[in-house]
Amino acid sequence: MSNKTYDFWKRVGRYGLPALATLVAAVCKIWNLPYGAEISATIMAIDVFLNAILGISSYNYNKQIKEE
């Protein structure tokens, strides 16, 4: 994964998805829309998975740099 790709997905995972989950939860609550909690929880589950993948990628990259 290139640094540019990594940085993009890191920003999505750190800021984008949590903000989206919060927005969905708030809008669904305000407008009494169904499944707000379920949709927000799904977005956050995807966020946790994305951050885990990025963490593994970062760990492997740092390990490779130390070995060189």
Side-chain angles (χ1 to χ4, degrees):
M1 177 182 321
S2 72
N3 285 341
K4 189 175 181 179
T5 302
Y6 174 84
D7 289 342
F8 171 79
W9 286 112
K10 185 176 177 183
R11 284 190 301 273
V12 169
R14 184 172 285 173
Y15 305 113
L17 291 176
L20 179 61
T22 302
L23 176 65
V24 167
V27 169
C28 287
K29 184 74 170 176
I30 291 166
W31 291 98
N32 200 26
L33 299 173
Y35 305 110
E38 291 85 351
I39 295 168
S40 295
T42 301
I43 294 169
M44 291 309 297
I46 293 167
D47 185 50
V48 169
F49 179 75
L50 174 62
N51 283 305
I53 297 298
L54 291 172
I56 292 168
S57 177
S58 179
Y59 173 80
N60 289 336
Y61 175 78
N62 290 329
K63 184 178 173 183
Q64 180 183 9
I65 295 297
K66 288 180 182 178
E67 291 175 356
E68 292 178 358

